[in-house]
Amino acid sequence: MQGGTRHQCLMPIKGKTYSLYGGSKETDQYYSTIRELTDRFLERCPDKQELLQHIQKSGKDNSFLKKLTIKQVHKPLISYINKTLKDSLSVFTTGVKQHLKTLPLSRRLDDVLKTREYQYHLYMIEIELVNRIYRMAFKKSDYKFALIAHCLRDFRPECKAFEGEYESECKSCTKDCFINLGTVLLRKYGINPFISVSMDLDKLFNKIKSEHKSVGALGIACVPELVQGMRLCIKLGIPPVGIPLDANRCARWLRQCKESSFSLEELEDLIK
Ligand code: SF4
């Protein structure tokens, strides 16, 4: 692992709604909490796919849909999960309430921006579960690609990214840039890294899928966007895995884009 980077020297970062630092100096506590919680939920519901379905259904932000699907949801399990998540994960989502209070009406149709606190908690477990379910299928895919959030780039130099086969590709113009660090690591494990700029992921994923025998996707994005991308991949028959950004700090959330980071150690553990 590469050491002494600009980002690793920075103080823990805070996002608009969440931060995986949760008041500590590192994100290790977040990842160990998520793993421990997922293990506990799997003790109550050992089938990973079934647990994933329960978690996805209970996170629906729509009371009508909830009523329609409530019979298929294991109520005692869900109330146990929701209570446990609130107690354990609220420390990582301290900005959600204030963000929702000040979110203008015109932006409340945006599914990502209007994510509620309990949904963040469910999404965090969903990411871990999806990684556990699809990791091997991802690794066995003939063509593996990664989409890295554009806000991870180093804002100091002029970015030299160029138009690649599917999306922009990093030219490694500065070694401290987090996109460069991710790109180098992903290539080491045979994964083709791109900088995520496309708005139409459906079209992009279908195009990549049509050009290869089997395809696996890796996302590095903020919690709600990563979950959306993973769900889309599953719908299209593409095994997904992913790593959440340490905090949500792009222009979609803040007035101006502030650099973010993610755990290179967690990424390597996932793909090695
Ligand atoms: S290292 Fe890559 S992503 Fe970062 S600024 Fe340079 S070209 Fe852009």
Side-chain angles (χ1 to χ4, degrees), residues 153-154 157-161 170-174 177 179-180 195:
R153 85 171 177 83
D154 185 344
E158 177 89 19
C159 179
K160 305 277 194 309
C170 171
K171 208 170 180 185
S172 300
C173 69
T174 166
C177 174
I179 292 186
N180 174 53
I195 303 169

Side-chain angles (χ1 to χ4, degrees), residues 41-253:
F41 300 151
L42 282 167
E43 275 170 26
R44 296 203 173 204
C45 178
D47 184 324
K48 293 190 190 93
Q49 282 286 5
E50 191 185 331
L51 180 61
L52 179 62
Q53 281 173 23
H54 287 314
I55 282 184
Q56 287 177 339
K57 278 177 188 162
S58 63
K60 279 189 167 48
D61 182 21
N62 184 314
S63 56
F64 177 67
L65 268 178
K66 255 189 175 174
K67 275 179 203 152
L68 279 181
T69 56
I70 204 80
K71 284 192 194 113
Q72 296 154 270
V73 173
H74 189 318
K75 279 200 212 165
L77 174 69
I78 292 308
S79 63
Y80 169 72
I81 289 175
N82 281 329
K83 165 91 174 67
T84 311
L85 291 183
K86 193 171 180 208
D87 292 346
S88 311
L89 298 183
S90 296
V91 66
F92 302 107
T93 52
T94 52
V96 182
K97 283 192 186 82
Q98 182 58 24
H99 162 71
L100 290 176
K101 257 191 225 166
T102 54
L103 187 65
L105 264 180
S106 57
R107 305 186 79 198
R108 285 180 192 227
L109 292 175
D110 185 322
D111 280 345
V112 167
L113 292 180
K114 70 177 188 183
T115 305
R116 297 194 197 173
E117 194 169 9
Y118 78 94
Q119 291 175 309
Y120 276 93
H121 300 161
L122 289 163
Y123 290 171
M124 287 168 171
I125 299 297
E126 183 168 338
I127 292 166
E128 171 69 13
L129 258 182
V130 168
N131 282 344
R132 292 191 192 192
I133 294 169
Y134 291 98
R135 182 167 173 245
M136 285 319 293
F138 167 80
K139 287 177 82 171
K140 284 184 193 160
S141 303
D142 292 316
Y143 181 82
K144 295 181 274 291
F145 72 97
L147 286 183
I148 310 173
H150 63 88
C151 56
L152 282 164
R153 85 171 177 83
D154 185 344
F155 289 110
R156 295 172 303 172
E158 177 89 19
C159 179
K160 305 277 194 309
F162 61 96
E163 195 53 46
E165 189 179 4
Y166 296 113
E167 284 275 54
S168 296
E169 287 188 46
C170 171
K171 208 170 180 185
S172 300
C173 69
T174 166
K175 70 176 173 47
D176 284 348
C177 174
F178 240 80
I179 292 186
N180 174 53
L181 294 171
T183 293
V184 170
L185 190 55
L186 289 159
R187 285 195 179 130
K188 178 177 156 191
Y189 290 95
I191 301 163
N192 299 281
F194 298 100
I195 303 169
S196 181
V197 283
S198 171
M199 298 306 285
D200 193 345
L201 288 183
D202 211 316
K203 192 172 161 197
L204 176 69
F205 292 168
N206 273 313
K207 178 173 163 54
I208 298 175
K209 200 181 165 201
S210 70
E211 292 175 4
H212 300 275
K213 205 167 142 211
S214 64
V215 170
L218 186 150
I220 303 174
C222 72
V223 168
E225 289 194 359
L226 181 56
V227 165
Q228 277 191 352
M230 285 176 145
R231 289 181 181 183
L232 177 60
C233 282
I234 293 169
K235 197 175 107 190
L236 298 175
I238 297 174
V241 290
I243 296 289
L245 297 183
D246 289 338
N248 52 340
R249 293 157 60 85
C250 80
R252 191 173 185 186
W253 297 95

